[in-house]
Amino acid sequence: MRGWPLIKLLPTKTNFQFVKYSRLFGVLSVILCIASIVGCFTPGLNMGIDFSGGASLEVSKPAGQTIDQEEVARAVTAIGLQDVGVQGIARLDNNQVDGSTVLLRFQLPEGADQTEVVRNAEAAITQAVGEVSYSGVSVVGSKVSGELFRSGLMALGLATVLMFLYIWFRFEPQFGMGAVAGLVHDVILTFGLIVIMRLEFSLNMVAAILTVIGYSMNDTVVVFDRLRENLRKYKSMPLAEVIDLSINETLSRTVITGVTAVMVLAVLAFLGGEVLFGFSVALMFGIIVGTYSSVYVAAPIILLWGVKRGEFAEEAKPIKLGGASRP
């Protein structure tokens, strides 16, 4: 049987000059990171119930009947609840947004009985739009939400520190700094995407960012392993050329792995409904940015810092880059 012609989409060997454009992309990364940080404060993150405190519940009618979202919002606002948000979501039985199911969110009054507030909201909605069913009720107090937010930030910070220590002990300090710079870059830009797309920042999103950190580190370690091997092989080759060689040698593996993961996440975003959409989109973006940072953030920092080739390096071996033979 003949092989599928689309299997070999990538050449077995590439000779891209990544380091040549590292300054340009470095400046671009700094600008995007600054913009993302500013965006986290203005307009700010779209905090979910987990971090802002409040209540959320699904309001449903039988398939084919439509719920007036404005009527639901007015009914809940009329009983004194604030920060009310109503949006249509897909039904669980057919995964379609037909207007028969909406997700309601609102802020809980300080010191009020949470159960009583939810019951009053349900009664007001039933009076406004008729007989409906309620499900997926979630209530988080302001104190708990603050603790969850701090715990989420601590988890992100601790993960970054542990990754730095891992790279430091496995390689050298400059490798660790490059890896951490790439991780911080990926996390900040992922926050920027969350702000731009107004994705809900919840515990699911924290899990997505932690996964991005793990994927980015895995990709960086692959490049660093090959870089360390080539530093031993080509002692007299300029460091910039060794970095280009190492990235080119791992490029095919990086692209194939990234594309495979993005394809799976795209299906999850399309079929997973409202709950998993933000999680999937953040992961897809993080994988793409993580691949970029391994090439244009982590590796260039090693070039700026420099590395010691070590006395154990082998004799220089000739290698062809871009058609020219170099020592």
Side-chain angles (χ1 to χ4, degrees), residues 240-257:
E241 295 186 10
V242 179
I243 292 175
D244 275 340
L245 173 64
S246 303
I247 296 174
N248 278 288
E249 289 180 345
T250 58
L251 184 62
S252 177
R253 176 263 178 204
T254 298
V255 172
I256 291 175
T257 303

mmCIF file with all atom_site columns, all heavy atoms in Angstrom, residues 240-257:
data_model
loop_
_atom_site.group_PDB
_atom_site.id
_atom_site.type_symbol
_atom_site.label_atom_id
_atom_site.label_alt_id
_atom_site.label_comp_id
_atom_site.label_asym_id
_atom_site.label_entity_id
_atom_site.label_seq_id
_atom_site.pdbx_PDB_ins_code
_atom_site.Cartn_x
_atom_site.Cartn_y
_atom_site.Cartn_z
_atom_site.occupancy
_atom_site.B_iso_or_equiv
_atom_site.pdbx_formal_charge
_atom_site.auth_seq_id
_atom_site.auth_comp_id
_atom_site.auth_asym_id
_atom_site.auth_atom_id
_atom_site.pdbx_PDB_model_num
ATOM 1   N N   . ALA A 1 240 ? 26.065 30.950 18.645 1.00 0.00 ? 240 ALA A N   1
ATOM 2   C CA  . ALA A 1 240 ? 24.841 31.255 17.906 1.00 0.00 ? 240 ALA A CA  1
ATOM 3   C C   . ALA A 1 240 ? 24.530 30.160 16.890 1.00 0.00 ? 240 ALA A C   1
ATOM 4   O O   . ALA A 1 240 ? 23.375 29.764 16.705 1.00 0.00 ? 240 ALA A O   1
ATOM 5   C CB  . ALA A 1 240 ? 24.969 32.607 17.207 1.00 0.00 ? 240 ALA A CB  1
ATOM 6   N N   . GLU A 1 241 ? 25.564 29.637 16.224 1.00 0.00 ? 241 GLU A N   1
ATOM 7   C CA  . GLU A 1 241 ? 25.345 28.588 15.236 1.00 0.00 ? 241 GLU A CA  1
ATOM 8   C C   . GLU A 1 241 ? 24.971 27.270 15.905 1.00 0.00 ? 241 GLU A C   1
ATOM 9   O O   . GLU A 1 241 ? 24.180 26.486 15.361 1.00 0.00 ? 241 GLU A O   1
ATOM 10  C CB  . GLU A 1 241 ? 26.595 28.421 14.376 1.00 0.00 ? 241 GLU A CB  1
ATOM 11  C CG  . GLU A 1 241 ? 26.906 29.640 13.522 1.00 0.00 ? 241 GLU A CG  1
ATOM 12  C CD  . GLU A 1 241 ? 28.066 29.392 12.581 1.00 0.00 ? 241 GLU A CD  1
ATOM 13  O OE1 . GLU A 1 241 ? 28.492 28.225 12.461 1.00 0.00 ? 241 GLU A OE1 1
ATOM 14  O OE2 . GLU A 1 241 ? 28.553 30.359 11.967 1.00 0.00 ? 241 GLU A OE2 1
ATOM 15  N N   . VAL A 1 242 ? 25.515 27.005 17.087 1.00 0.00 ? 242 VAL A N   1
ATOM 16  C CA  . VAL A 1 242 ? 25.151 25.790 17.810 1.00 0.00 ? 242 VAL A CA  1
ATOM 17  C C   . VAL A 1 242 ? 23.688 25.851 18.229 1.00 0.00 ? 242 VAL A C   1
ATOM 18  O O   . VAL A 1 242 ? 22.958 24.851 18.157 1.00 0.00 ? 242 VAL A O   1
ATOM 19  C CB  . VAL A 1 242 ? 26.057 25.597 19.045 1.00 0.00 ? 242 VAL A CB  1
ATOM 20  C CG1 . VAL A 1 242 ? 25.646 24.345 19.813 1.00 0.00 ? 242 VAL A CG1 1
ATOM 21  C CG2 . VAL A 1 242 ? 27.511 25.498 18.636 1.00 0.00 ? 242 VAL A CG2 1
ATOM 22  N N   . ILE A 1 243 ? 23.232 27.021 18.660 1.00 0.00 ? 243 ILE A N   1
ATOM 23  C CA  . ILE A 1 243 ? 21.826 27.185 19.043 1.00 0.00 ? 243 ILE A CA  1
ATOM 24  C C   . ILE A 1 243 ? 20.920 26.981 17.836 1.00 0.00 ? 243 ILE A C   1
ATOM 25  O O   . ILE A 1 243 ? 19.905 26.263 17.916 1.00 0.00 ? 243 ILE A O   1
ATOM 26  C CB  . ILE A 1 243 ? 21.605 28.569 19.671 1.00 0.00 ? 243 ILE A CB  1
ATOM 27  C CG1 . ILE A 1 243 ? 22.323 28.667 21.017 1.00 0.00 ? 243 ILE A CG1 1
ATOM 28  C CG2 . ILE A 1 243 ? 20.111 28.848 19.845 1.00 0.00 ? 243 ILE A CG2 1
ATOM 29  C CD1 . ILE A 1 243 ? 22.250 30.034 21.653 1.00 0.00 ? 243 ILE A CD1 1
ATOM 30  N N   . ASP A 1 244 ? 21.272 27.584 16.694 1.00 0.00 ? 244 ASP A N   1
ATOM 31  C CA  . ASP A 1 244 ? 20.480 27.392 15.480 1.00 0.00 ? 244 ASP A CA  1
ATOM 32  C C   . ASP A 1 244 ? 20.428 25.923 15.087 1.00 0.00 ? 244 ASP A C   1
ATOM 33  O O   . ASP A 1 244 ? 19.365 25.389 14.724 1.00 0.00 ? 244 ASP A O   1
ATOM 34  C CB  . ASP A 1 244 ? 21.079 28.214 14.331 1.00 0.00 ? 244 ASP A CB  1
ATOM 35  C CG  . ASP A 1 244 ? 20.601 29.653 14.323 1.00 0.00 ? 244 ASP A CG  1
ATOM 36  O OD1 . ASP A 1 244 ? 19.555 29.925 14.940 1.00 0.00 ? 244 ASP A OD1 1
ATOM 37  O OD2 . ASP A 1 244 ? 21.259 30.502 13.702 1.00 0.00 ? 244 ASP A OD2 1
ATOM 38  N N   . LEU A 1 245 ? 21.581 25.259 15.143 1.00 0.00 ? 245 LEU A N   1
ATOM 39  C CA  . LEU A 1 245 ? 21.640 23.843 14.798 1.00 0.00 ? 245 LEU A CA  1
ATOM 40  C C   . LEU A 1 245 ? 20.750 23.014 15.706 1.00 0.00 ? 245 LEU A C   1
ATOM 41  O O   . LEU A 1 245 ? 19.997 22.145 15.246 1.00 0.00 ? 245 LEU A O   1
ATOM 42  C CB  . LEU A 1 245 ? 23.094 23.365 14.885 1.00 0.00 ? 245 LEU A CB  1
ATOM 43  C CG  . LEU A 1 245 ? 23.320 21.856 14.717 1.00 0.00 ? 245 LEU A CG  1
ATOM 44  C CD1 . LEU A 1 245 ? 22.907 21.416 13.318 1.00 0.00 ? 245 LEU A CD1 1
ATOM 45  C CD2 . LEU A 1 245 ? 24.766 21.500 14.995 1.00 0.00 ? 245 LEU A CD2 1
ATOM 46  N N   . SER A 1 246 ? 20.799 23.278 17.005 1.00 0.00 ? 246 SER A N   1
ATOM 47  C CA  . SER A 1 246 ? 20.021 22.498 17.971 1.00 0.00 ? 246 SER A CA  1
ATOM 48  C C   . SER A 1 246 ? 18.525 22.691 17.763 1.00 0.00 ? 246 SER A C   1
ATOM 49  O O   . SER A 1 246 ? 17.749 21.725 17.825 1.00 0.00 ? 246 SER A O   1
ATOM 50  C CB  . SER A 1 246 ? 20.411 22.906 19.398 1.00 0.00 ? 246 SER A CB  1
ATOM 51  O OG  . SER A 1 246 ? 21.796 22.741 19.617 1.00 0.00 ? 246 SER A OG  1
ATOM 52  N N   . ILE A 1 247 ? 18.099 23.922 17.512 1.00 0.00 ? 247 ILE A N   1
ATOM 53  C CA  . ILE A 1 247 ? 16.672 24.186 17.295 1.00 0.00 ? 247 ILE A CA  1
ATOM 54  C C   . ILE A 1 247 ? 16.204 23.519 16.009 1.00 0.00 ? 247 ILE A C   1
ATOM 55  O O   . ILE A 1 247 ? 15.116 22.930 15.959 1.00 0.00 ? 247 ILE A O   1
ATOM 56  C CB  . ILE A 1 247 ? 16.413 25.701 17.255 1.00 0.00 ? 247 ILE A CB  1
ATOM 57  C CG1 . ILE A 1 247 ? 16.735 26.332 18.613 1.00 0.00 ? 247 ILE A CG1 1
ATOM 58  C CG2 . ILE A 1 247 ? 14.963 25.982 16.888 1.00 0.00 ? 247 ILE A CG2 1
ATOM 59  C CD1 . ILE A 1 247 ? 16.637 27.843 18.623 1.00 0.00 ? 247 ILE A CD1 1
ATOM 60  N N   . ASN A 1 248 ? 17.010 23.596 14.950 1.00 0.00 ? 248 ASN A N   1
ATOM 61  C CA  . ASN A 1 248 ? 16.641 22.963 13.691 1.00 0.00 ? 248 ASN A CA  1
ATOM 62  C C   . ASN A 1 248 ? 16.526 21.455 13.820 1.00 0.00 ? 248 ASN A C   1
ATOM 63  O O   . ASN A 1 248 ? 15.651 20.833 13.216 1.00 0.00 ? 248 ASN A O   1
ATOM 64  C CB  . ASN A 1 248 ? 17.662 23.318 12.606 1.00 0.00 ? 248 ASN A CB  1
ATOM 65  C CG  . ASN A 1 248 ? 17.404 24.677 11.971 1.00 0.00 ? 248 ASN A CG  1
ATOM 66  O OD1 . ASN A 1 248 ? 16.460 24.851 11.217 1.00 0.00 ? 248 ASN A OD1 1
ATOM 67  N ND2 . ASN A 1 248 ? 18.237 25.655 12.294 1.00 0.00 ? 248 ASN A ND2 1
ATOM 68  N N   . GLU A 1 249 ? 17.402 20.849 14.610 1.00 0.00 ? 249 GLU A N   1
ATOM 69  C CA  . GLU A 1 249 ? 17.380 19.402 14.765 1.00 0.00 ? 249 GLU A CA  1
ATOM 70  C C   . GLU A 1 249 ? 16.165 18.908 15.546 1.00 0.00 ? 249 GLU A C   1
ATOM 71  O O   . GLU A 1 249 ? 15.758 17.763 15.400 1.00 0.00 ? 249 GLU A O   1
ATOM 72  C CB  . GLU A 1 249 ? 18.666 18.936 15.452 1.00 0.00 ? 249 GLU A CB  1
ATOM 73  C CG  . GLU A 1 249 ? 19.900 19.038 14.562 1.00 0.00 ? 249 GLU A CG  1
ATOM 74  C CD  . GLU A 1 249 ? 21.159 18.573 15.259 1.00 0.00 ? 249 GLU A CD  1
ATOM 75  O OE1 . GLU A 1 249 ? 21.143 18.441 16.505 1.00 0.00 ? 249 GLU A OE1 1
ATOM 76  O OE2 . GLU A 1 249 ? 22.166 18.362 14.569 1.00 0.00 ? 249 GLU A OE2 1
ATOM 77  N N   . THR A 1 250 ? 15.602 19.760 16.379 1.00 0.00 ? 250 THR A N   1
ATOM 78  C CA  . THR A 1 250 ? 14.420 19.376 17.168 1.00 0.00 ? 250 THR A CA  1
ATOM 79  C C   . THR A 1 250 ? 13.132 19.987 16.621 1.00 0.00 ? 250 THR A C   1
ATOM 80  O O   . THR A 1 250 ? 12.058 19.764 17.184 1.00 0.00 ? 250 THR A O   1
ATOM 81  C CB  . THR A 1 250 ? 14.588 19.820 18.629 1.00 0.00 ? 250 THR A CB  1
ATOM 82  O OG1 . THR A 1 250 ? 14.803 21.251 18.680 1.00 0.00 ? 250 THR A OG1 1
ATOM 83  C CG2 . THR A 1 250 ? 15.778 19.129 19.277 1.00 0.00 ? 250 THR A CG2 1
ATOM 84  N N   . LEU A 1 251 ? 13.228 20.743 15.521 1.00 0.00 ? 251 LEU A N   1
ATOM 85  C CA  . LEU A 1 251 ? 12.068 21.480 15.018 1.00 0.00 ? 251 LEU A CA  1
ATOM 86  C C   . LEU A 1 251 ? 10.945 20.556 14.577 1.00 0.00 ? 251 LEU A C   1
ATOM 87  O O   . LEU A 1 251 ? 9.769  20.795 14.880 1.00 0.00 ? 251 LEU A O   1
ATOM 88  C CB  . LEU A 1 251 ? 12.493 22.388 13.861 1.00 0.00 ? 251 LEU A CB  1
ATOM 89  C CG  . LEU A 1 251 ? 11.406 23.303 13.289 1.00 0.00 ? 251 LEU A CG  1
ATOM 90  C CD1 . LEU A 1 251 ? 10.916 24.268 14.354 1.00 0.00 ? 251 LEU A CD1 1
ATOM 91  C CD2 . LEU A 1 251 ? 11.946 24.074 12.079 1.00 0.00 ? 251 LEU A CD2 1
ATOM 92  N N   . SER A 1 252 ? 11.276 19.494 13.850 1.00 0.00 ? 252 SER A N   1
ATOM 93  C CA  . SER A 1 252 ? 10.249 18.584 13.350 1.00 0.00 ? 252 SER A CA  1
ATOM 94  C C   . SER A 1 252 ? 9.471  17.960 14.497 1.00 0.00 ? 252 SER A C   1
ATOM 95  O O   . SER A 1 252 ? 8.232  17.913 14.470 1.00 0.00 ? 252 SER A O   1
ATOM 96  C CB  . SER A 1 252 ? 10.902 17.490 12.505 1.00 0.00 ? 252 SER A CB  1
ATOM 97  O OG  . SER A 1 252 ? 9.936  16.561 12.071 1.00 0.00 ? 252 SER A OG  1
ATOM 98  N N   . ARG A 1 253 ? 10.169 17.494 15.520 1.00 0.00 ? 253 ARG A N   1
ATOM 99  C CA  . ARG A 1 253 ? 9.514  16.889 16.673 1.00 0.00 ? 253 ARG A CA  1
ATOM 100 C C   . ARG A 1 253 ? 8.623  17.901 17.373 1.00 0.00 ? 253 ARG A C   1
ATOM 101 O O   . ARG A 1 253 ? 7.490  17.607 17.766 1.00 0.00 ? 253 ARG A O   1
ATOM 102 C CB  . ARG A 1 253 ? 10.576 16.346 17.624 1.00 0.00 ? 253 ARG A CB  1
ATOM 103 C CG  . ARG A 1 253 ? 10.026 15.768 18.937 1.00 0.00 ? 253 ARG A CG  1
ATOM 104 C CD  . ARG A 1 253 ? 10.115 16.794 20.037 1.00 0.00 ? 253 ARG A CD  1
ATOM 105 N NE  . ARG A 1 253 ? 9.563  16.304 21.293 1.00 0.00 ? 253 ARG A NE  1
ATOM 106 C CZ  . ARG A 1 253 ? 9.103  17.073 22.261 1.00 0.00 ? 253 ARG A CZ  1
ATOM 107 N NH1 . ARG A 1 253 ? 9.087  18.398 22.111 1.00 0.00 ? 253 ARG A NH1 1
ATOM 108 N NH2 . ARG A 1 253 ? 8.642  16.555 23.377 1.00 0.00 ? 253 ARG A NH2 1
ATOM 109 N N   . THR A 1 254 ? 9.117  19.136 17.519 1.00 0.00 ? 254 THR A N   1
ATOM 110 C CA  . THR A 1 254 ? 8.360  20.176 18.213 1.00 0.00 ? 254 THR A CA  1
ATOM 111 C C   . THR A 1 254 ? 7.067  20.513 17.484 1.00 0.00 ? 254 THR A C   1
ATOM 112 O O   . THR A 1 254 ? 5.995  20.605 18.086 1.00 0.00 ? 254 THR A O   1
ATOM 113 C CB  . THR A 1 254 ? 9.224  21.443 18.354 1.00 0.00 ? 254 THR A CB  1
ATOM 114 O OG1 . THR A 1 254 ? 10.384 21.145 19.132 1.00 0.00 ? 254 THR A OG1 1
ATOM 115 C CG2 . THR A 1 254 ? 8.454  22.558 19.013 1.00 0.00 ? 254 THR A CG2 1
ATOM 116 N N   . VAL A 1 255 ? 7.158  20.676 16.168 1.00 0.00 ? 255 VAL A N   1
ATOM 117 C CA  . VAL A 1 255 ? 5.984  21.053 15.380 1.00 0.00 ? 255 VAL A CA  1
ATOM 118 C C   . VAL A 1 255 ? 4.946  19.938 15.375 1.00 0.00 ? 255 VAL A C   1
ATOM 119 O O   . VAL A 1 255 ? 3.743  20.178 15.565 1.00 0.00 ? 255 VAL A O   1
ATOM 120 C CB  . VAL A 1 255 ? 6.404  21.417 13.944 1.00 0.00 ? 255 VAL A CB  1
ATOM 121 C CG1 . VAL A 1 255 ? 5.174  21.617 13.058 1.00 0.00 ? 255 VAL A CG1 1
ATOM 122 C CG2 . VAL A 1 255 ? 7.259  22.677 13.945 1.00 0.00 ? 255 VAL A CG2 1
ATOM 123 N N   . ILE A 1 256 ? 5.386  18.703 15.173 1.00 0.00 ? 256 ILE A N   1
ATOM 124 C CA  . ILE A 1 256 ? 4.447  17.579 15.122 1.00 0.00 ? 256 ILE A CA  1
ATOM 125 C C   . ILE A 1 256 ? 3.730  17.413 16.459 1.00 0.00 ? 256 ILE A C   1
ATOM 126 O O   . ILE A 1 256 ? 2.513  17.225 16.520 1.00 0.00 ? 256 ILE A O   1
ATOM 127 C CB  . ILE A 1 256 ? 5.190  16.284 14.734 1.00 0.00 ? 256 ILE A CB  1
ATOM 128 C CG1 . ILE A 1 256 ? 5.658  16.370 13.279 1.00 0.00 ? 256 ILE A CG1 1
ATOM 129 C CG2 . ILE A 1 256 ? 4.298  15.070 14.932 1.00 0.00 ? 256 ILE A CG2 1
ATOM 130 C CD1 . ILE A 1 256 ? 6.510  15.206 12.836 1.00 0.00 ? 256 ILE A CD1 1
ATOM 131 N N   . THR A 1 257 ? 4.494  17.495 17.562 1.00 0.00 ? 257 THR A N   1
ATOM 132 C CA  . THR A 1 257 ? 3.882  17.359 18.886 1.00 0.00 ? 257 THR A CA  1
ATOM 133 C C   . THR A 1 257 ? 2.877  18.479 19.146 1.00 0.00 ? 257 THR A C   1
ATOM 134 O O   . THR A 1 257 ? 1.771  18.250 19.645 1.00 0.00 ? 257 THR A O   1
ATOM 135 C CB  . THR A 1 257 ? 4.964  17.373 19.976 1.00 0.00 ? 257 THR A CB  1
ATOM 136 O OG1 . THR A 1 257 ? 5.909  16.330 19.724 1.00 0.00 ? 257 THR A OG1 1
ATOM 137 C CG2 . THR A 1 257 ? 4.353  17.165 21.350 1.00 0.00 ? 257 THR A CG2 1
#
